[in-house]
Amino acid sequence: MTTLVERLQRRESTSAKDLTHPGPTDDELAEVLRAAVAVPEHGAIRPWRFLVVREPGQRRLSEAFVADLLAETPDAPEEEIAKRRDGPLRSPLLLVVTVSPRAHPKVPEVEQVVSGGLCAYVIQACFHDMGYGAVWVTGKPAYSARVKAELGLEATDHIVGFVHVGTRAPEADGRRKSRPDPAGFVRFWPGA
C-alpha cells in the first residue's frame, strides 16, 4: 500500500480535453466533498462553496462564457469564441469552487481564499487518487462579474477555480509532466 506522500507526489493534472465519460458518481462526489471541507480554515468561517455543474448546466455556463467574451471583445475571432464555448463542456463533471469572504477581525480575506484553494486542490487530488482525471483551471471567466452573476454569486465572491473531472482518455498517459527538484525552491533561514 502506498502512503499519502507517495500518492501526492504522483498527483497530476489531466488536461480537460483528455477527460471523457464516465464521470464520478454522486456517491463518489459526496466522498470527495467530505474531504474538501476538512481543509484547514481559520475561525470556522467556512467561506467556500461548491457548484456542481453537469448537463444542462454546462451548456448554460458555456453560453455565459461566450456572452462574457463578446461583451468584452465584440469582434473576437471565431477560434476564441469556440474555445470559450467548449471550456465548460470538456468533462462529464465540472465543479466551481467559490469563496464568499466574510469580515472577521482575525481572519483576513486572503486566508479565506487560500482555504478555498486548498478545497480545489483536495478535490482534484482525491479524484486523481480514485482513478479519475481532473484539472483545476481558472482563466478570464473566473474573474468576470458577468460569469459570477450568472452563477448566482455576489460581486465580492471569488471563483477560486473550475475543476473538471472525468475518466482519463488513453492518450493522456503519454503527456505526463516532470516534477522539479524541491531543493531549488528551498532556503534555510538562520534567524538573524
Side-chain angles (χ1 to χ4, degrees):
M1 176 175 254
T2 60
T3 67
L4 177 61
V5 171
E6 291 167 327
R7 291 194 312 275
L8 288 176
Q9 288 172 351
R10 287 194 308 270
R11 187 229 48 97
E12 65 182 359
S13 298
T14 302
S15 175
K17 69 181 179 219
D18 291 331
L19 298 174
T20 187
H21 289 278
T25 66
D26 289 341
D27 288 342
E28 289 170 322
L29 173 60
E31 285 297 310
V32 168
L33 292 178
R34 275 192 277 285
V37 299
V39 300
E41 56 97 17
H42 190 181
I45 293 174
R46 300 179 179 131
W48 12 257
R49 299 291 178 268
F50 313 102
L51 301 173
V52 178
V53 186
R54 300 188 197 255
E55 279 285 343
Q58 288 168 298
R59 291 202 183 283
R60 183 170 170 196
L61 188 55
S62 171
E63 293 168 10
F65 277 21
V66 170
D68 180 59
L69 171 64
L70 293 175
E72 291 292 320
T73 313
D75 58 347
E78 185 53 44
E79 56 272 5
E80 183 64 25
I81 295 169
K83 183 177 177 183
R84 285 282 182 101
R85 181 179 296 116
D86 293 345
L89 305 171
R90 291 185 171 169
S91 60
L93 172 64
L94 178 63
L95 295 167
V96 186
V97 181
T98 70
V99 169
S100 297
R102 297 189 177 90
H104 191 283
K106 295 182 180 178
V107 186
E109 186 171 324
V110 67
E111 289 185 21
Q112 297 175 51
V113 174
V114 167
S115 184
L118 289 171
C119 288
Y121 177 78
V122 166
I123 289 167
Q124 184 197 19
C126 285
F127 278 124
H128 180 266
D129 196 54
M130 295 168 84
Y132 289 101
V135 63
W136 168 15
V137 299
T138 53
K140 289 185 179 180
Y143 307 103
S144 165
R146 284 179 288 278
V147 171
K148 288 182 191 180
E150 182 68 29
L151 290 169
L153 303 173
E154 299 295 325
T156 55
D157 291 343
H158 300 280
I159 296 175
V160 175
F162 303 97
V163 182
H164 291 269
V165 185
T167 297
R168 285 174 58 95
E171 55 271 16
D173 290 331
R175 290 190 283 273
R176 295 191 186 268
K177 293 181 181 175
S178 64
R179 299 283 187 221
D181 181 348
F185 303 90
V186 176
R187 181 173 65 101
F188 292 91
W189 185 65

